[in-house]
Amino acid sequence: MPETFDTEYDHNKEFLTVRTSRNMLESFDRRKIVQSLIKETGISKEIAEEIALEVEETIKKLKLKFISAPLIREIVNVKLLERRLEDARRDYTRLGLPVYDATQIIEKGVRENANLQHNPETIHKLVADWVMKEYALLKALPLHLADAHMRGEIHIHDLEYFVTRPYCFQHDLRWFLKNGLKVDGTGENTAVAGPAKNAEVAILHAAKALAAAQTNFAGGQGLDFFNVWLAPYMAGKTYKEIKQLAQMFIYELSQMYVARGGQVVFSDIDIEYGVPKICQDLPAVLPGGVVKDSITYGDFEEEAIMFARALTEVYLEGDYVGKPFFFPKPNYKLRRECFKKEGFDEFMILVHKVVAKYGSPYFLNLLAGYLPDNVFAQCCRLVLSPDNTDWEDFKNGCMRTGSLQVVTINLPRIAYESNGNDEKLFELLEERMKLAREVIEIKRDIILKRMKQGSLPFLTQDVNGEPYYRVDKVVRSIGFVGLNEMLKAHTGEELHESKDAWRFGLEVIKRMMDIAMEWSEETGQRWVITQTPAESASHRLALLDLKEFNGKAVVQGDVKTGAVYYTNSSHVRVSADVPLFERLRIEGAFHPLCNGGMMAHVWIGESSPNPELLWELTKKIATKTLIGYWAYTKDMTFCRDCKNLSGGIKKSCPNCGSSNVEWYSRVTGYYQRVSGWNDGKRKELFDRKRVNLG
Amino acid sequence: MKLIVFTKKDCPQCPNAKAIAKEVAEELGLEYEEIDIEKDLITALQFNVASTPSIAFGEEVLFRGEVPTKEQLKQEILKLMK
């Protein structure tokens, strides 16, 4: 609201000059307080006038040298509270951060999100995040939900974007190739591009579509069948030209430092070996957006393979100074049909050379027997199995879906509160899930409202009479953290310590899945269970529980320093001395229950395994376990002085001895600089039990 | 050790897998068990089985989501018994 004060009413102007929020100096006028109180809080005129008079008297008594509109507002708030008008105070208060905290952000930044560098854009983002988080907790969410988050019963992810954007999305590049690109969603603020007529432009459109979408989403942006949909544009090109295009795309997405307050786009591409059977008969979108029934994707098998290979080689080479590309995250799909294709083994050995050197690839396992043919992976670990209507979209050239919002359940907290009583534990589990559901239902209404208000223009673009973003087609994600600590607190044993504890853990997550399925039937919307990445949640919730349940809380890390964390989702404790396949067998059992996303990690430390043996290991994981999605994480030390990259977490550069080094590892579902990690995650990094594949 | 076949209702290949597994179990003198993964999903998951028909010998899953020939199944079991 404009906090100005009328100059014509000047009974006290000689000593009360107000610095307004419009950056003007004006004379105090208590009528402005009356007007704003009535407008913003709906209280009666009588009370508003009484408060305004009191405020004026207080200000006069204080004989202040500096009076500003925010200061007046603070005094008004006290007067509201004195009258027990708490709701009115909530509506009238200002949002923002203390001067001290603003200074800290400006001068030091924060470490809550490892992707955030300390730069002018992120400083603006962090200050804005503060206001938007407060707004979400104060205004958008009812008190019982805001408090459930603050107490640590649940963790509402991306609160800073809660009232403005949905979470993450998987796009269908064919739609942009066929229709061109309006990066602002309307074409009114930016130039409008028609369908790409050549490969270079198609590549740029793919990169810009993700960057544009990122401005309307909080989380990851993915492109499924990336090399398949672009294969027709590679026709007639030499391998060298195709590799140049692959390089262009990867550099675009790892260098456009513009999204969400100075970050690269959180991007994924799904890479196929050739053209999968499900795509072969689909009419291909050709240069110029032309579609002919007689030309299908099956006609571009060779180009799809060449492009997949080229992308992989670019990942293998790394950037100009030899660092890996962290984004776009490459997801390689393992399909049974690929094993029959010529050159697949050779291709996968190339992929595993990238694993051995940088750890960058991710594997989506269609051999486990429970994921459908058009499953995709994106963001930190969102793995979604499309439903029947998605198949229709897939055939019609615009399959698109994502997650609206993630809310995580703090599982260990439930164990502390249920005191060993199974019945109570399952009762609390359902209760917490209902809190999560309430949050997500509010989010749905908010996003629908924003779409109507026109503040999500990329999402309201028209696709054959429907908006690009269909709120009721995306999933509602309920995550969980700390199953291992829940089991320890409830059964006395950790996940890996007994078959019974493992079984009880499976019962807990199955109950969650059953509830989500019941809700899906009841609402006609898609409720799913996901293994939360918990980059900040695992640390925040462990800290809160330690404070609230001291003596009872089971946390990992260092209690003395506060560098504590919960084990992610249904993972085995990272430091547990468990053989690799036993770990994967235990963790894999949970993957079919997590229909909204899952991920397993194989920590390979500093080793550079033989790519051929590593490929054998991948095949074994794919065929012998239920792991649906996983990555091998290699720790790396990069020397800022001599630019040498070496394996492992080292205090100094093994090449030049400099201690001016940066470490890289996978924080949760993506690689990032360790210096940006929170204390809990840093401790976890050192606790991780690596497998020696050297 | 037991020979276990994981099945479910309306699984077209399951009768075939069960018949082969039963025959092999009889020939090799093995205990035989069937687990319906819809009724006891958690047990199936602890075997790392989520598709049918699947066949396990002891704790080792030999075939997932496919029907082996009798000879293939015997061969895999004998390998493990050595």
Side-chain angles (χ1 to χ4, degrees), chain A residues 499-538:
Chain A
K499 219 170 172 176
D500 288 343
W502 180 24
R503 191 172 181 90
F504 189 76
L506 285 163
E507 279 169 15
V508 170
I509 306 306
K510 182 169 183 304
R511 181 71 194 123
M512 290 184 77
M513 188 187 77
D514 289 343
I515 292 171
M517 286 172 85
E518 282 164 23
W519 291 353
S520 299
E521 264 184 44
E522 174 200 327
T523 61
Q525 296 162 355
R526 296 162 77 176
W527 294 88
V528 295
I529 301 303
T530 186
Q531 288 193 329
T532 310
E535 181 184 326
S536 56
S538 67

Tab-separated table of all heavy atoms in Angstrom, chain A residues 499-538:
chain	number	residue	atom	x	y	z
A	499	LYS	N	16.440	-58.169	8.797
A	499	LYS	CA	15.413	-58.342	7.781
A	499	LYS	C	14.069	-57.817	8.293
A	499	LYS	O	13.239	-57.322	7.526
A	499	LYS	CB	15.287	-59.827	7.433
A	499	LYS	CG	15.061	-60.045	5.963
A	499	LYS	CD	15.183	-61.495	5.586
A	499	LYS	CE	14.753	-61.639	4.133
A	499	LYS	NZ	14.917	-62.963	3.612
A	500	ASP	N	13.883	-57.907	9.622
A	500	ASP	CA	12.621	-57.440	10.204
A	500	ASP	C	12.509	-55.923	10.130
A	500	ASP	O	11.440	-55.381	9.840
A	500	ASP	CB	12.495	-57.895	11.667
A	500	ASP	CG	12.241	-59.385	11.763
A	500	ASP	OD1	11.843	-59.968	10.738
A	500	ASP	OD2	12.457	-59.954	12.846
A	501	ALA	N	13.615	-55.246	10.435
A	501	ALA	CA	13.601	-53.774	10.369
A	501	ALA	C	13.341	-53.341	8.927
A	501	ALA	O	12.540	-52.436	8.664
A	501	ALA	CB	14.933	-53.212	10.862
A	502	TRP	N	14.007	-54.017	8.008
A	502	TRP	CA	13.824	-53.733	6.572
A	502	TRP	C	12.358	-53.924	6.194
A	502	TRP	O	11.737	-53.082	5.540
A	502	TRP	CB	14.745	-54.676	5.786
A	502	TRP	CG	14.714	-54.562	4.300
A	502	TRP	CD1	14.337	-53.478	3.555
A	502	TRP	CD2	15.095	-55.591	3.369
A	502	TRP	NE1	14.463	-53.769	2.208
A	502	TRP	CE2	14.921	-55.045	2.071
A	502	TRP	CE3	15.575	-56.896	3.493
A	502	TRP	CZ2	15.208	-55.783	0.910
A	502	TRP	CZ3	15.871	-57.622	2.340
A	502	TRP	CH2	15.680	-57.070	1.061
A	503	ARG	N	11.779	-55.023	6.673
A	503	ARG	CA	10.380	-55.329	6.358
A	503	ARG	C	9.444	-54.263	6.937
A	503	ARG	O	8.518	-53.805	6.271
A	503	ARG	CB	10.021	-56.712	6.921
A	503	ARG	CG	8.702	-57.210	6.416
A	503	ARG	CD	8.420	-58.655	6.807
A	503	ARG	NE	7.133	-59.013	6.234
A	503	ARG	CZ	6.965	-59.547	5.034
A	503	ARG	NH1	8.001	-59.820	4.280
A	503	ARG	NH2	5.762	-59.809	4.571
A	504	PHE	N	9.732	-53.861	8.165
A	504	PHE	CA	8.876	-52.845	8.776
A	504	PHE	C	8.987	-51.531	7.978
A	504	PHE	O	7.990	-50.834	7.740
A	504	PHE	CB	9.264	-52.614	10.246
A	504	PHE	CG	8.277	-51.742	10.970
A	504	PHE	CD1	7.049	-52.246	11.382
A	504	PHE	CD2	8.554	-50.394	11.208
A	504	PHE	CE1	6.122	-51.434	12.023
A	504	PHE	CE2	7.629	-49.580	11.847
A	504	PHE	CZ	6.411	-50.100	12.253
A	505	GLY	N	10.205	-51.233	7.538
A	505	GLY	CA	10.411	-50.032	6.706
A	505	GLY	C	9.593	-50.107	5.427
A	505	GLY	O	8.966	-49.120	5.007
A	506	LEU	N	9.571	-51.295	4.832
A	506	LEU	CA	8.777	-51.481	3.603
A	506	LEU	C	7.292	-51.304	3.893
A	506	LEU	O	6.554	-50.725	3.091
A	506	LEU	CB	9.046	-52.862	2.999
A	506	LEU	CG	10.401	-53.011	2.291
A	506	LEU	CD1	10.752	-54.477	2.094
A	506	LEU	CD2	10.400	-52.287	0.943
A	507	GLU	N	6.870	-51.781	5.059
A	507	GLU	CA	5.452	-51.618	5.422
A	507	GLU	C	5.084	-50.141	5.569
A	507	GLU	O	3.999	-49.716	5.164
A	507	GLU	CB	5.140	-52.376	6.720
A	507	GLU	CG	4.918	-53.854	6.480
A	507	GLU	CD	4.873	-54.671	7.767
A	507	GLU	OE1	4.723	-54.089	8.852
A	507	GLU	OE2	5.014	-55.914	7.660
A	508	VAL	N	6.007	-49.375	6.134
A	508	VAL	CA	5.752	-47.930	6.315
A	508	VAL	C	5.589	-47.253	4.952
A	508	VAL	O	4.623	-46.525	4.713
A	508	VAL	CB	6.908	-47.269	7.114
A	508	VAL	CG1	6.788	-45.746	7.085
A	508	VAL	CG2	6.918	-47.771	8.549
A	509	ILE	N	6.516	-47.534	4.052
A	509	ILE	CA	6.467	-46.836	2.755
A	509	ILE	C	5.310	-47.374	1.901
A	509	ILE	O	4.670	-46.621	1.162
A	509	ILE	CB	7.829	-46.940	2.012
A	509	ILE	CG1	8.965	-46.443	2.915
A	509	ILE	CG2	7.801	-46.149	0.701
A	509	ILE	CD1	8.778	-45.038	3.491
A	510	LYS	N	5.014	-48.660	2.060
A	510	LYS	CA	3.861	-49.200	1.319
A	510	LYS	C	2.569	-48.554	1.817
A	510	LYS	O	1.680	-48.245	1.024
A	510	LYS	CB	3.778	-50.721	1.456
A	510	LYS	CG	2.611	-51.289	0.651
A	510	LYS	CD	2.637	-52.782	0.539
A	510	LYS	CE	1.502	-53.290	-0.342
A	510	LYS	NZ	0.174	-52.868	0.089
A	511	ARG	N	2.497	-48.340	3.124
A	511	ARG	CA	1.300	-47.674	3.668
A	511	ARG	C	1.170	-46.286	3.045
A	511	ARG	O	0.087	-45.844	2.680
A	511	ARG	CB	1.411	-47.587	5.202
A	511	ARG	CG	0.223	-46.937	5.864
A	511	ARG	CD	-1.025	-47.826	5.812
A	511	ARG	NE	-2.226	-47.071	6.148
A	511	ARG	CZ	-3.302	-46.944	5.367
A	511	ARG	NH1	-3.344	-47.543	4.206
A	511	ARG	NH2	-4.329	-46.242	5.751
A	512	MET	N	2.304	-45.611	2.913
A	512	MET	CA	2.277	-44.278	2.290
A	512	MET	C	1.774	-44.375	0.853
A	512	MET	O	0.958	-43.571	0.405
A	512	MET	CB	3.678	-43.634	2.308
A	512	MET	CG	4.151	-43.223	3.689
A	512	MET	SD	5.754	-42.369	3.645
A	512	MET	CE	5.273	-40.744	3.064
A	513	MET	N	2.284	-45.369	0.143
A	513	MET	CA	1.868	-45.531	-1.254
A	513	MET	C	0.382	-45.867	-1.347
A	513	MET	O	-0.333	-45.334	-2.198
A	513	MET	CB	2.695	-46.614	-1.945
A	513	MET	CG	2.435	-46.668	-3.438
A	513	MET	SD	3.217	-48.049	-4.264
A	513	MET	CE	2.129	-49.383	-3.817
A	514	ASP	N	-0.089	-46.736	-0.452
A	514	ASP	CA	-1.510	-47.106	-0.469
A	514	ASP	C	-2.392	-45.876	-0.223
A	514	ASP	O	-3.420	-45.705	-0.885
A	514	ASP	CB	-1.806	-48.179	0.594
A	514	ASP	CG	-1.213	-49.526	0.211
A	514	ASP	OD1	-0.886	-49.703	-0.975
A	514	ASP	OD2	-1.077	-50.393	1.098
A	515	ILE	N	-1.969	-45.046	0.726
A	515	ILE	CA	-2.752	-43.833	1.018
A	515	ILE	C	-2.766	-42.925	-0.217
A	515	ILE	O	-3.806	-42.406	-0.620
A	515	ILE	CB	-2.181	-43.090	2.253
A	515	ILE	CG1	-2.405	-43.927	3.516
A	515	ILE	CG2	-2.802	-41.700	2.402
A	515	ILE	CD1	-1.699	-43.410	4.758
A	516	ALA	N	-1.605	-42.771	-0.826
A	516	ALA	CA	-1.521	-41.914	-2.017
A	516	ALA	C	-2.418	-42.458	-3.127
A	516	ALA	O	-3.081	-41.695	-3.846
A	516	ALA	CB	-0.072	-41.818	-2.495
A	517	MET	N	-2.460	-43.777	-3.260
A	517	MET	CA	-3.309	-44.372	-4.303
A	517	MET	C	-4.793	-44.181	-3.984
A	517	MET	O	-5.592	-43.903	-4.878
A	517	MET	CB	-2.959	-45.842	-4.504
A	517	MET	CG	-1.628	-45.983	-5.242
A	517	MET	SD	-1.019	-47.646	-5.327
A	517	MET	CE	-1.865	-48.245	-6.749
A	518	GLU	N	-5.122	-44.314	-2.696
A	518	GLU	CA	-6.531	-44.063	-2.303
A	518	GLU	C	-6.915	-42.620	-2.638
A	518	GLU	O	-8.002	-42.354	-3.152
A	518	GLU	CB	-6.710	-44.267	-0.788
A	518	GLU	CG	-6.785	-45.711	-0.356
A	518	GLU	CD	-6.579	-45.856	1.156
A	518	GLU	OE1	-6.809	-44.898	1.915
A	518	GLU	OE2	-6.139	-46.948	1.571
A	519	TRP	N	-6.024	-41.704	-2.353
A	519	TRP	CA	-6.305	-40.294	-2.634
A	519	TRP	C	-6.435	-40.045	-4.138
A	519	TRP	O	-7.234	-39.233	-4.581
A	519	TRP	CB	-5.201	-39.395	-2.081
A	519	TRP	CG	-5.154	-39.325	-0.576
A	519	TRP	CD1	-6.054	-39.860	0.296
A	519	TRP	CD2	-4.154	-38.683	0.214
A	519	TRP	NE1	-5.667	-39.593	1.586
A	519	TRP	CE2	-4.521	-38.875	1.577
A	519	TRP	CE3	-2.992	-37.979	-0.078
A	519	TRP	CZ2	-3.756	-38.372	2.626
A	519	TRP	CZ3	-2.227	-37.475	0.958
A	519	TRP	CH2	-2.612	-37.674	2.299
A	520	SER	N	-5.632	-40.755	-4.913
A	520	SER	CA	-5.695	-40.584	-6.369
A	520	SER	C	-7.068	-41.012	-6.873
A	520	SER	O	-7.681	-40.354	-7.711
A	520	SER	CB	-4.607	-41.403	-7.064
A	520	SER	OG	-3.344	-40.969	-6.639
A	521	GLU	N	-7.538	-42.140	-6.326
A	521	GLU	CA	-8.871	-42.612	-6.726
A	521	GLU	C	-9.953	-41.641	-6.292
A	521	GLU	O	-10.867	-41.322	-7.032
A	521	GLU	CB	-9.137	-43.981	-6.126
A	521	GLU	CG	-8.820	-45.091	-7.111
A	521	GLU	CD	-9.172	-46.448	-6.570
A	521	GLU	OE1	-10.256	-46.588	-5.993
A	521	GLU	OE2	-8.330	-47.347	-6.717
A	522	GLU	N	-9.793	-41.162	-5.077
A	522	GLU	CA	-10.812	-40.276	-4.501
A	522	GLU	C	-10.887	-38.931	-5.241
A	522	GLU	O	-11.969	-38.413	-5.494
A	522	GLU	CB	-10.434	-40.059	-3.021
A	522	GLU	CG	-11.290	-39.058	-2.285
A	522	GLU	CD	-10.574	-38.546	-1.020
A	522	GLU	OE1	-9.821	-39.303	-0.387
A	522	GLU	OE2	-10.755	-37.348	-0.716
A	523	THR	N	-9.740	-38.386	-5.618
A	523	THR	CA	-9.721	-37.022	-6.165
A	523	THR	C	-9.610	-36.985	-7.688
A	523	THR	O	-9.836	-35.939	-8.291
A	523	THR	CB	-8.509	-36.228	-5.612
A	523	THR	OG1	-7.311	-36.916	-6.018
A	523	THR	CG2	-8.564	-36.131	-4.102
A	524	GLY	N	-9.198	-38.094	-8.283
A	524	GLY	CA	-8.955	-38.090	-9.726
A	524	GLY	C	-7.658	-37.357	-10.061
A	524	GLY	O	-7.349	-37.113	-11.224
A	525	GLN	N	-6.902	-37.007	-9.038
A	525	GLN	CA	-5.595	-36.373	-9.254
A	525	GLN	C	-4.499	-37.380	-8.918
A	525	GLN	O	-4.771	-38.410	-8.319
A	525	GLN	CB	-5.485	-35.131	-8.353
A	525	GLN	CG	-6.504	-34.082	-8.721
A	525	GLN	CD	-6.716	-33.064	-7.619
A	525	GLN	OE1	-6.187	-33.165	-6.528
A	525	GLN	NE2	-7.532	-32.068	-7.916
A	526	ARG	N	-3.266	-37.019	-9.295
A	526	ARG	CA	-2.195	-38.008	-9.143
A	526	ARG	C	-1.343	-37.722	-7.903
A	526	ARG	O	-0.521	-36.820	-7.918
A	526	ARG	CB	-1.348	-38.030	-10.405
A	526	ARG	CG	-2.137	-38.482	-11.603
A	526	ARG	CD	-1.470	-38.098	-12.895
A	526	ARG	NE	-0.361	-38.957	-13.208
A	526	ARG	CZ	0.322	-38.862	-14.336
A	526	ARG	NH1	0.009	-37.954	-15.238
A	526	ARG	NH2	1.332	-39.665	-14.558
A	527	TRP	N	-1.565	-38.513	-6.869
A	527	TRP	CA	-0.780	-38.387	-5.639
A	527	TRP	C	0.306	-39.446	-5.676
A	527	TRP	O	0.011	-40.622	-5.926
A	527	TRP	CB	-1.675	-38.564	-4.408
A	527	TRP	CG	-2.686	-37.460	-4.279
A	527	TRP	CD1	-3.926	-37.421	-4.838
A	527	TRP	CD2	-2.513	-36.217	-3.594
A	527	TRP	NE1	-4.542	-36.229	-4.522
A	527	TRP	CE2	-3.707	-35.469	-3.752
A	527	TRP	CE3	-1.474	-35.659	-2.833
A	527	TRP	CZ2	-3.879	-34.200	-3.204
A	527	TRP	CZ3	-1.648	-34.401	-2.273
A	527	TRP	CH2	-2.837	-33.682	-2.456
A	528	VAL	N	1.543	-39.039	-5.454
A	528	VAL	CA	2.646	-40.012	-5.540
A	528	VAL	C	3.578	-39.885	-4.339
A	528	VAL	O	3.601	-38.866	-3.660
A	528	VAL	CB	3.466	-39.821	-6.847
A	528	VAL	CG1	2.629	-40.117	-8.073
A	528	VAL	CG2	4.061	-38.414	-6.926
A	529	ILE	N	4.338	-40.954	-4.128
A	529	ILE	CA	5.333	-40.979	-3.049
A	529	ILE	C	6.710	-40.840	-3.689
A	529	ILE	O	7.031	-41.523	-4.658
A	529	ILE	CB	5.250	-42.306	-2.256
A	529	ILE	CG1	3.844	-42.476	-1.663
A	529	ILE	CG2	6.314	-42.352	-1.160
A	529	ILE	CD1	3.387	-41.356	-0.767
A	530	THR	N	7.499	-39.963	-3.129
A	530	THR	CA	8.810	-39.712	-3.727
A	530	THR	C	9.909	-39.752	-2.678
A	530	THR	O	9.685	-39.413	-1.516
A	530	THR	CB	8.795	-38.352	-4.468
A	530	THR	OG1	10.015	-38.178	-5.158
A	530	THR	CG2	8.613	-37.182	-3.516
A	531	GLN	N	11.080	-40.190	-3.117
A	531	GLN	CA	12.243	-40.160	-2.232
A	531	GLN	C	12.803	-38.742	-2.272
A	531	GLN	O	13.514	-38.384	-3.198
A	531	GLN	CB	13.298	-41.152	-2.705
A	531	GLN	CG	12.944	-42.595	-2.478
A	531	GLN	CD	14.140	-43.508	-2.675
A	531	GLN	OE1	15.031	-43.227	-3.483
A	531	GLN	NE2	14.176	-44.599	-1.959
A	532	THR	N	12.451	-37.968	-1.288
A	532	THR	CA	12.863	-36.562	-1.284
A	532	THR	C	14.378	-36.418	-1.400
A	532	THR	O	15.112	-37.124	-0.717
A	532	THR	CB	12.438	-35.912	0.049
A	532	THR	OG1	11.076	-36.203	0.259
A	532	THR	CG2	12.665	-34.430	0.026
A	533	PRO	N	14.838	-35.475	-2.213
A	533	PRO	CA	16.278	-35.201	-2.244
A	533	PRO	C	16.773	-34.701	-0.875
A	533	PRO	O	17.848	-35.049	-0.436
A	533	PRO	CB	16.426	-34.117	-3.302
A	533	PRO	CG	15.179	-34.171	-4.105
A	533	PRO	CD	14.108	-34.706	-3.213
A	534	ALA	N	15.948	-33.863	-0.205
A	534	ALA	CA	16.234	-33.418	1.174
A	534	ALA	C	17.591	-32.761	1.356
A	534	ALA	O	18.274	-33.005	2.341
A	534	ALA	CB	16.065	-34.591	2.133
A	535	GLU	N	17.943	-31.924	0.412
A	535	GLU	CA	19.240	-31.260	0.494
A	535	GLU	C	19.322	-30.388	1.749
A	535	GLU	O	20.314	-30.417	2.465
A	535	GLU	CB	19.410	-30.404	-0.761
A	535	GLU	CG	20.707	-29.679	-0.824
A	535	GLU	CD	20.760	-28.780	-2.045
A	535	GLU	OE1	20.196	-29.160	-3.083
A	535	GLU	OE2	21.354	-27.703	-1.953
A	536	SER	N	18.288	-29.619	2.011
A	536	SER	CA	18.298	-28.842	3.244
A	536	SER	C	17.416	-29.477	4.312
A	536	SER	O	17.669	-29.324	5.504
A	536	SER	CB	17.880	-27.392	2.978
A	536	SER	OG	16.626	-27.356	2.349
A	537	ALA	N	16.377	-30.220	3.891
A	537	ALA	CA	15.435	-30.796	4.864
A	537	ALA	C	16.113	-31.784	5.809
A	537	ALA	O	15.814	-31.800	7.000
A	537	ALA	CB	14.283	-31.482	4.142
A	538	SER	N	17.040	-32.601	5.305
A	538	SER	CA	17.635	-33.628	6.172
A	538	SER	C	18.429	-32.977	7.300
A	538	SER	O	18.500	-33.494	8.407
A	538	SER	CB	18.512	-34.587	5.369
A	538	SER	OG	19.638	-33.918	4.881
